[in-house]
């Protein structure tokens, strides 16, 4: 996807890291920490109807959409889904990714996202379009709801279900503070769209995993207070894959099959100062 540039929500800093140590830590933590991060089988999902029967028995494919927060989560999420026999394409965008056609700042980003999304819906033909609400979903509640409804229609026309995932809690610095009300209203608008969308649209509330305080240990934020490092990203991958598995009838691969893969050494984590 074409990336928009922005002073926030992107990976800009460079740091050294120890990939061997990180991989070892994940190997030790995969069974203990990851197993404890998911909550109960049905937690974290609001406005979710009965499991969809629209997917074929094999060749399921997930198209993943969001900003750079979704980008660092995409690395283990792709590994977890592929290990579970599910295809995965990452359409997240650093410094952008929103589909909300709202204010003068989010609108040009949304137009870029929609342009790429239409191409990938047609070419990749996913069974599930999964959209994580971005830090740029700025607009009025009405604009947000209209954009999420448009996303649901686009997914439906492409033969895909839509799952909207709430963003993790992140640090509201000076850049984000002026958008605090819009950031707060976005998941509420998404929940309403899912509630009215029938069996083809669902909303997953990730506060079951992260909590609501970006400064709490449960939030597992990177040093920048916005993104997640390897362990937090792996926890999300396990949590979300389990929910997709329950909804679409596949068995998620256990973390020891994917949580210490080559994704752990990706340079994105080094730029976040992950150790």
């Amino acid at each position: 996807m074409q990336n928009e540039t922005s002073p926030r929500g992107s990976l800009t800093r460079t740091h050294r890291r120890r990939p061997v140590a990180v991989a070892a830590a994940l190997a030790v933590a995969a069974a203990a920490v990851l197993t404890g991060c998911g909550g109960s089988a049905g937690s974290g999902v609001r406005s979710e109807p009965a499991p969809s029967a629209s997917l074929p028995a094999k060749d399921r494919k997930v198209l993943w959409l969001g900003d750079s927060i979704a980008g660092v989560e995409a690395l283990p999420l792709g590994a977890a889904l592929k290990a579970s026999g599910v295809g995965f394409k990452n359409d997240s965008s650093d410094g952008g990714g929103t589909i909300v056609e709202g204010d003068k700042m989010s609108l040009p980003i949304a137009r870029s996202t929609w342009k790429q999304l239409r191409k990938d819906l047609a070419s990749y033909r996913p069974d599930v379009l999964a959209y994580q609400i971005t830090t740029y979903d700025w607009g009025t509640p009405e604009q947000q709801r209209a954009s999420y409804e448009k996303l649901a229609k686009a997914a439906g026309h492409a033969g895909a279900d839509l799952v909207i995932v709430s963003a993790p809690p992140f640090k509201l610095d000076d850049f984000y503070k002026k958008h605090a009300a819009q950031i707060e209203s976005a998941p509420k608008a998404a929940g309403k769209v899912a509630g009215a969308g029938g069996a083809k649209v669902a909303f997953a509330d990730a506060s079951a995993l992260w909590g609501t305080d970006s400064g709490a240990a449960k939030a597992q934020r990177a040093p920048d207070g916005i993104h997640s490092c390897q362990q937090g990203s792996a926890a999300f991958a396990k949590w979300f894959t389990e929910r997709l598995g329950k909804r679409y009838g596949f068995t998620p691969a256990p973390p020891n099959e994917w949580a210490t893969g080559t994704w752990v050494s990706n340079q994105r984590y080094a730029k976040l100062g992950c150790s």
Side-chain angles (χ1 to χ4, degrees):
M1 173 175 287
Q2 295 294 323
N3 292 341
E4 300 289 334
T5 58
S6 173
R8 287 291 185 268
S10 58
L11 308 178
T12 57
R13 294 180 293 175
T14 57
H15 299 265
R16 293 182 179 178
R17 52 146 169 73
R18 298 186 294 266
V20 175
V22 170
L26 277 174
V28 172
V33 177
L34 291 182
T35 300
C37 284
S40 63
S43 66
V45 178
R46 294 194 316 228
S47 304
E48 184 170 357
S52 171
S54 62
L55 296 187
K58 59 180 180 178
D59 298 329
R60 301 177 182 89
K61 294 189 291 186
V62 173
L63 181 61
W64 176 242
L65 208 62
D67 59 11
S68 60
I69 296 177
V72 295
E73 295 166 348
L75 297 167
L77 179 59
L81 286 172
K82 290 174 183 177
S84 305
V86 178
F88 178 80
K89 180 176 175 59
N90 176 25
D91 246 3
S92 65
S93 177
D94 291 356
T98 184
I99 52 86
V100 174
E101 298 169 302
D103 63 21
K104 63 181 181 181
M105 294 186 67
S106 67
L107 183 57
I109 302 174
R111 287 172 175 168
S112 175
T113 303
W114 277 107
K115 182 178 180 180
Q116 185 64 43
L117 176 59
R118 291 187 183 98
K119 293 179 181 178
D120 287 338
L121 284 173
S123 62
Y124 188 61
R125 300 186 64 82
D127 300 294
V128 179
L129 173 60
Y131 176 75
Q132 181 170 269
I133 293 173
T134 79
T135 59
Y136 303 95
D137 280 25
W138 304 332
T140 66
E142 292 75 20
Q143 289 171 325
Q144 290 169 335
R145 182 165 183 171
S147 296
Y148 299 141
E149 288 173 343
K150 179 179 177 180
L151 186 64
K153 290 179 181 178
H157 289 159
D161 286 7
L162 172 64
V163 178
I164 304 177
V165 190
S166 63
F170 57 92
K171 181 180 178 181
L172 293 181
D173 58 15
D174 290 340
F175 177 77
Y176 285 125
K177 281 181 180 178
K178 59 183 176 289
H179 300 287
Q182 297 162 314
I183 291 168
E184 183 179 356
S185 65
K188 297 176 183 178
K192 291 179 180 178
V193 171
K200 300 286 288 182
V201 185
F203 176 72
D205 183 358
S207 65
L209 171 65
W210 305 119
T212 58
D213 181 1
S214 65
K218 183 178 181 180
Q220 300 190 74
R221 295 303 90 195
D224 67 356
I226 298 172
H227 303 85
S228 56
C229 289
Q230 292 96 323
Q231 183 65 23
S233 298
F236 174 79
K238 177 179 183 293
W239 177 85
F240 192 50
T241 300
E242 286 179 346
R243 272 133 195 84
L244 291 177
K246 180 183 178 183
R247 181 170 173 80
Y248 297 114
F250 67 86
T251 301
N256 60 12
E257 292 186 11
W258 54 264
T260 57
T262 56
W263 66 267
V264 174
S265 300
N266 191 280
Q267 287 293 319
R268 296 176 69 96
Y269 299 114
K271 293 177 181 179
L272 290 171
C274 299
S275 59

